[in-house]
């Protein structure tokens, strides 16, 4: 006759098997009570946008850098422009579907002909920064600083869940680098984004 210890072990095994079968029957562990699907941010908006310098390419400040963290992405770099007086615009487009673990965005910075913009600020969802500097005969660059703020997305649950954000930067229509922050096993590589096109439009002024 089985001992009490043996019956307890068998009962424990039956319960464990039942839980395993139930878990396998679910589409995701995140559907269990106490779990949630941690996703990347659903929204990325322009928080700050300013021009720092403008003029001949060999005279403009050559500092470039960026950071990502604490819900913000910042970048300082230069963009080629038709003149030092050219206004700049920046817009953000989401290129991943809602609820994606890896949120992907395209940030497009463009330098326009002088007169295309007249004031710094945000208009029609685009941030525009302009100056009245004169144009020269040399190749011209404008140094700018952009700060983007992340919003939305699902918070983490009881256990860690893969999530992240990847941002492709375009300057005057050309792919110009990428910023990403992901958790394993997501792939934060930017190689596939050089020719990406926006699919889900997203508001940018904020």
């Amino acid at each position: 006759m089985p001992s009490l210890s043996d019956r307890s072990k068998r009962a424990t095994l039956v319960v464990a098997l039942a839980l395993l079968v139930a878990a396998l029957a679910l589409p995701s562990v995140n559907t269990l009570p106490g779990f949630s699907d941690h996703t990347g941010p659903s929204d990325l908006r322009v928080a700050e946008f300013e021009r720092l310098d403008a003029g001949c390419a060999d005279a403009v400040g050559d500092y470039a850098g960026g950071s990502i963290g604490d819900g913000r992405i910042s970048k300082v770099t230069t963009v080629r422009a038709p003149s030092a007086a050219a206004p700049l615009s920046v817009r953000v487009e989401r290129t991943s579907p809602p609820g994606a673990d890896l949120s992907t965005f395209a940030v497009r910075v463009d330098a326009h002909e002088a007169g295309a913009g007249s004031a710094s600020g945000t208009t029609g969802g685009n941030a525009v920064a302009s100056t009245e500097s004169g144009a020269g005969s040399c190749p011209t660059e404008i140094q700018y600083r952009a700060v983007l703020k992340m919003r939305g997305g699902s918070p983490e649950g009881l256990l860690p869940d893969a999530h992240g954000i990847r941002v492709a930067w375009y300057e005057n229509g050309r792919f110009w680098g990428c910023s990403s922050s992901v958790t394993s096993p997501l792939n934060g590589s930017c190689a596939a984004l050089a020719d990406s096109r926006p699919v889900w439009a997203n508001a940018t002024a904020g």
Side-chain angles (χ1 to χ4, degrees):
M1 182 175 181
S3 66
L4 180 61
S5 177
D6 289 337
R7 290 198 296 272
S8 297
K9 290 178 181 179
R10 290 176 183 174
T12 300
L13 180 60
V14 170
V15 171
L17 289 174
L19 290 175
L20 177 61
V21 171
L24 292 175
L26 293 171
S28 169
V29 69
N30 295 308
T31 61
L32 291 170
F35 292 82
S36 64
D37 187 11
H38 195 176
T39 68
S42 58
D43 192 32
L44 186 66
R45 294 175 178 263
V46 180
E48 300 175 37
F49 185 56
E50 62 178 332
R51 56 196 300 149
L52 305 177
D53 196 5
C56 292
D58 58 358
V60 172
D62 58 0
Y63 171 78
S67 64
I68 180 169
D70 297 325
R72 298 167 75 87
I73 299 174
S74 64
K75 183 177 183 180
V76 175
T77 189
T78 58
V79 60
R80 187 59 61 92
S83 71
L88 301 181
S89 67
V90 58
R91 68 186 189 277
V92 181
E93 297 160 335
R94 189 177 71 231
T95 55
S96 60
D101 287 335
L102 177 60
S103 298
T104 60
F105 298 87
V107 179
R108 303 182 185 275
V109 177
D110 295 293
H112 306 274
E113 292 289 343
S118 59
S120 298
T122 55
T123 305
N126 297 336
V128 180
S130 63
T131 183
E132 296 182 356
S133 301
S137 58
C138 58
T140 304
E141 289 186 348
I142 299 175
Q143 184 184 49
Y144 68 89
R145 172 177 173 267
V147 178
L148 311 173
K149 185 176 181 181
M150 308 176 207
R151 298 178 181 174
S154 299
E156 60 184 309
L158 186 60
L159 294 177
D161 183 36
H163 64 282
I165 182 172
R166 182 174 56 190
V167 179
W169 295 81
Y170 296 85
E171 294 182 351
N172 294 325
R174 296 178 58 191
F175 178 74
W176 208 254
C178 178
S179 307
S180 66
S181 176
V182 302
T183 61
S184 179
L186 293 180
N187 181 4
S189 171
C190 303
L193 294 181
D195 296 319
S196 67
R197 295 291 181 268
V199 178
W200 289 270
N202 197 40
T204 60

